[in-house]
Amino acid sequence: GQIEEADRLYTAILKAQPKHPDANHNMGILAVGVDKVQESLPFFITALESKPSVGQYWLSYLDALIQLNQMADAQSVLDQAKGKGAQGEAFEQLENRLNELNKTQVKADPQIDDQNQVSPNILDNLELGQAIRLAQRKSKDGSSKDAKHIYNDILTKFPKNKKALDGIKSLSGGFTGQTSKAQDPPQNQLQHLTNLFQQKQFQQTLESAKQLLLKFHNSSALYNIQGAANAGVGQLKAAIDSYKRAIKIKPDYADAYNNMGVALKDKGDLGAAIDSYKQAIIIKPDYLEAYNNMGNALSSVGDLKAAIDSFTWALKIEPNYAKVHFNLGMLLLEMSHLKEATEHFKFSYANSQYYLLRCLYLQDKKSLFYDQLDYLIDRDEIHPIIGSLVCRSAIKYGLERPNLFCKDPLNYVLQTDLCNQYNFEKIFVVTAKTILQENKVPNKIQPLLINGYQTSGNVFSSKSYLTKEIQKIIRLEIDKYLVRFKDSNQGLITNWPTDYSLSGWLVSMKSGGELQPHMHEKGWISGSIYINVPEKLRTNSGNLVVSIGEDRISGKDINQEKSIDVVTGSLCLFPSSLLHYTIPFKSKEERIVLAFDVVPKR
């Protein structure tokens, strides 16, 4: 009895698969159920064209024709059904019913029969092509009632005319009150817009959506696509506004809630993002992507148990969903549950093979580790995690392997003084302190950070309007880095990503603060800009240390790491395969660093 929900779901199916036989048939049934029998015909016809062997489709179509008093058409359709082998008691009963009705019509009052013939068919005066164009023009002008009447006239004489079938379907717009409020463009126009978005032509998607919204100003689907395109160009506030408009038109729009959650998370508003994902799941309890996204958001705010529960629910719905296995594996790896993480990384998704390698190394499973490492090297896989573990395993096990990423990463560390080139105070210091003082970017749970905090999300996305100039400078400095090492034959340079994004965050430390050894697995090269470095009370206090091995120097080969004497205005760039950490410092001043990764776009 949940007609509105059924209507919404069948409409969604038909947007994805316009010829789906069951969905078309059941949409026809819904239309008949709300006394829109004429509108049911195109759906029944499409169902029959897709799967004429289903007897129920013929019965439903025949019943609708009889309700419309189109006896001649019903008789013709019944003959077609019998010609295709339709038989059984239901068809016999319907044939008897049709015969009885035909007899009744013959005996009917001639005046009534005349009244039924008063309204002429549009094709009595126009050619088929002219009638189609007139209906399309009426639809475009907003005269949907006139357009529907013309299409029905065409279908009376040409029941399989595709343009009339598509036209009347586009005018139906759902059969129930709530759904019919939406005014979406024809499917082919929505598909074109979707194709532009999937090709990452975000600006063109926005321009096309804007033009369509002038006509279809009440289209939830258009606002949803507009939101996704705005997010694609980094306009997160505009994206969220678009999603809100989509939801206002269609309050049960689960996709819009999920997409809004993604934009809110990127903006740094994790609490609101989680609420948005929850709403999507309330509407659509089996929404895999929303469970997955909510798990990631919960992980970011440190609610690890709830995050695991969210991922687990997703896997109950789809046990082989590799994307969720990957994200759950990442969470378990962060929690040092290595054995459990290993099992999830066995599902192939994104960089799962690299993290499987890392889990095996951390568990000291030497034989399995080298099996996986050799497998990846044989496949010419080039990635910072592999490069890092080739170096670290050589130190740990004394076994050398080719390093396809960067054999001598310490030689690719570059330090630059930005104060000599730019207005550092205005561009970097003021911007960073503004973001921190606004207190609108939530902090991330960072167990490696002692006596300090780190902002969550990507500050370049959430604060794009503030960081525009900073991003421009970083990209310029990265270009200089590439020029500096242009003659290198290392995979780091020769396989430089054709396109990349910047992911950044701010780190603030108080006296005694330090960051323990780690690497940035998602980067290609990593960087740090030192917004404020307190005066050093000891020679190395507060220094950045980049390292090949995971152990800090304690009588080992000094060539395994490099200590960088950073000061306010320093920019350090280094391969993401290097581990790095900071030396603790003592000061009354706050130490502020803008850290970032060059993340390859795939």
Side-chain angles (χ1 to χ4, degrees):
Q2 298 178 34
I3 304 298
E4 290 184 359
E5 181 67 359
D7 182 25
R8 182 184 71 79
L9 293 170
Y10 285 131
T11 300
I13 293 168
L14 291 178
K15 282 182 180 179
Q17 299 184 45
K19 300 280 188 186
H20 194 291
D22 280 341
N24 273 285
H25 172 261
N26 293 349
M27 278 291 274
I29 294 295
L30 282 179
V32 172
V34 293
D35 295 325
K36 295 191 175 183
V37 184
Q38 185 70 53
E39 283 86 338
S40 74
L41 299 184
F43 294 100
F44 291 140
I45 291 169
T46 303
L48 282 167
E49 287 177 344
S50 299
K51 207 168 184 181
S53 61
V54 180
Q56 186 58 53
Y57 296 171
W58 291 101
L59 291 170
S60 299
Y61 184 29
L62 284 164
D63 182 70
L65 289 170
I66 291 170
Q67 288 191 50
L68 291 169
N69 206 32
Q70 296 180 19
M71 299 305 171
D73 291 336
Q75 186 62 57
S76 175
V77 170
L78 179 59
D79 292 341
Q80 290 179 50
K82 290 165 69 176
K84 291 184 180 294
Q87 57 182 336
E89 186 178 347
F91 280 96
E92 290 175 6
Q93 290 178 354
L94 193 142
E95 185 171 17
N96 292 334
R97 177 184 168 198
L98 188 57
N99 289 334
E100 289 298 319
L101 288 169
N102 281 331
K103 290 177 185 177
T104 304
Q105 244 188 7
V106 171
K107 296 176 182 178
D109 188 334
Q111 290 182 345
I112 295 176
D113 189 59
D114 289 342
Q115 289 171 10
N116 289 337
Q117 303 300 323
V118 167
S119 179
N121 190 297
I122 192 74
L123 295 179
D124 293 342
N125 298 310
L126 294 178
E127 296 291 332
L128 177 60
Q130 293 175 316
I132 291 288
R133 288 191 291 274
L134 177 60
Q136 290 171 340
R137 189 162 64 250
K138 292 284 187 182
S139 176
K140 194 173 183 180
D141 293 342
S143 303
S144 57
K145 187 175 180 181
D146 291 341
K148 189 179 294 185
H149 180 76
I150 296 169
Y151 284 134
N152 284 330
D153 277 358
I154 293 168
L155 290 171
T156 299
K157 293 196 174 185
F158 301 99
K160 294 186 179 182
N161 184 276
K162 187 176 185 306
K163 290 185 177 179
L165 288 168
D166 291 343
I168 201 166
K169 278 187 183 182
S170 68
L171 290 168
S172 297
F175 300 117
T176 60
Q178 183 175 331
T179 309
S180 61
K181 292 177 184 177
Q183 184 191 6
D184 292 334
Q187 179 61 30
N188 63 327
Q189 293 183 1
L190 277 177
Q191 189 59 52
H192 173 68
L193 205 60
T194 302
N195 291 342
L196 287 175
F197 174 78
Q198 291 175 343
Q199 294 162 13
K200 300 190 183 300
Q201 299 182 37
F202 300 131
Q203 201 58 51
Q204 193 173 344
T205 304
L206 286 171
E207 291 168 5
S208 297
K210 184 179 179 181
Q211 289 301 314
L212 285 170
L213 280 166
L214 294 175
K215 178 181 175 184
F216 302 97
H217 55 275
N218 205 29
S219 170
S220 57
L222 280 178
Y223 280 117
N224 186 46
I225 295 173
Q226 184 188 57
N230 273 318
V233 296
Q235 300 295 326
L236 297 178
K237 185 179 182 302
I240 292 165
D241 289 342
S242 295
Y243 294 135
K244 285 180 177 178
R245 296 194 69 171
I247 291 165
K248 186 175 181 181
I249 295 167
K250 189 176 180 181
D252 61 347
Y253 201 168
D255 285 345
Y257 273 111
N258 178 61
N259 293 340
M260 184 164 70
V262 174
L264 286 164
K265 181 176 182 292
D266 289 343
K267 191 171 180 287
D269 195 346
L270 294 170
I274 292 167
D275 289 341
S276 197
Y277 296 138
K278 285 180 179 176
Q279 189 60 42
I281 291 167
I282 289 170
I283 296 166
K284 188 177 178 182
D286 61 348
Y287 201 158
L288 281 169
E289 199 63 32
Y291 275 114
N292 178 62
N293 290 336
M294 186 164 72
N296 287 330
L298 288 165
S299 174
S300 295
V301 298
D303 195 346
L304 304 187
K305 183 181 182 302
I308 290 173
D309 288 343
S310 191
F311 290 135
T312 303
W313 271 109
L315 292 176
K316 285 181 180 178
I317 298 167
E318 177 48 70
N320 296 318
Y321 194 12
K323 186 176 184 180
V324 178
H325 278 290
F326 176 78
N327 289 328
L328 180 52
M330 292 294 289
L331 177 55
L332 292 167
L333 175 59
E334 182 182 334
M335 297 168 69
S336 297
H337 296 172
L338 301 176
K339 185 177 179 181
E340 295 93 330
T342 300
E343 294 305 310
H344 291 287
F345 288 136
K346 288 178 180 178
F347 289 80
S348 180
Y349 177 81
N351 298 332
S352 59
Q353 293 294 310
Y354 311 147
Y355 287 100
L356 175 60
L357 182 72
R358 184 179 171 192
C359 281
L360 294 170
Y361 176 80
L362 292 174
Q363 292 176 85
D364 202 21
K365 294 188 175 182
K366 180 179 175 182
S367 178
L368 291 174
F369 167 76
Y370 274 108
D371 286 345
Q372 179 71 4
L373 180 59
D374 291 339
Y375 165 76
L376 293 172
I377 291 173
D378 288 344
R379 286 167 51 92
D380 292 328
E381 294 279 354
I382 300 174
H383 193 273
I385 293 178
I386 304 174
S388 177
L389 290 173
V390 167
C391 290
R392 290 155 69 182
S393 62
I395 296 170
K396 184 175 183 178
Y397 298 122
L399 297 175
E400 296 284 348
R401 288 291 190 273
N403 197 322
L404 305 183
F405 183 74
C406 191
K407 183 179 179 181
D408 301 303
L410 290 175
N411 294 336
Y412 291 82
V413 179
L414 191 64
Q415 182 180 12
T416 306
D417 185 358
L418 297 179
C419 291
N420 292 333
Q421 305 176 64
Y422 311 102
N423 187 336
F424 192 80
E425 176 71 24
K426 180 181 177 182
I427 298 172
F428 292 92
V429 177
V430 172
T431 301
K433 289 185 176 180
T434 299
I435 293 171
L436 292 175
Q437 288 167 5
E438 277 183 353
N439 203 27
K440 290 182 179 178
V441 179
N443 299 333
K444 177 182 179 180
I445 302 299
Q446 175 53 283
L448 298 172
L449 186 58
I450 297 171
N451 204 21
Y453 66 90
Q454 173 181 320
T455 59
S456 68
N458 183 359
V459 72
F460 295 140
S461 294
S462 62
K463 298 294 179 182
S464 58
Y465 59 97
L466 286 174
T467 60
K468 187 175 180 180
E469 188 66 20
I470 292 176
Q471 292 183 64
K472 183 178 177 182
I473 291 171
I474 290 174
R475 287 181 178 272
L476 180 61
E477 294 300 320
I478 289 168
D479 288 342
K480 293 178 184 178
Y481 182 92
L482 288 173
V483 171
R484 168 71 175 77
F485 298 109
K486 62 182 176 63
D487 295 327
S488 169
N489 62 356
Q490 299 293 301
L492 167 71
I493 304 300
T494 59
N495 285 272
W496 186 264
T498 54
D499 193 12
Y500 67 84
S501 61
L502 293 174
S503 178
W505 58 95
L506 287 163
V507 179
S508 172
M509 291 188 219
K510 301 294 185 183
S511 182
E514 65 171 300
L515 189 59
Q516 296 178 343
H518 66 290
M519 67 172 288
H520 296 169
E521 296 97 341
K522 294 180 181 179
W524 193 261
I525 64 169
S526 298
S528 49
I529 297 173
Y530 292 82
I531 307 300
N532 186 65
V533 178
E535 182 180 354
K536 297 176 186 290
L537 300 180
R538 294 195 307 178
T539 304
N540 291 328
S541 66
N543 275 12
L544 170 70
V545 181
V546 289
S547 173
I548 291 174
E550 53 258 50
D551 294 327
R552 301 186 186 202
I553 292 299
S554 56
K556 290 190 176 183
D557 183 358
I558 198 68
N559 293 321
Q560 290 179 13
E561 67 177 29
K562 180 184 292 186
S563 179
I564 304 171
D565 186 12
V566 294
V567 295
T568 299
S570 292
L571 163 66
C572 295
L573 295 171
F574 52 91
S576 294
S577 60
L578 282 171
L579 292 138
H580 55 283
Y581 63 90
T582 62
I583 296 175
F585 70 99
K586 296 289 183 182
S587 173
K588 293 182 179 179
E589 285 187 70
E590 183 181 18
R591 185 179 190 271
I592 303 172
V593 180
L594 172 61
F596 61 89
D597 286 325
V598 170
V599 182
K601 288 187 177 179
R602 300 185 182 277

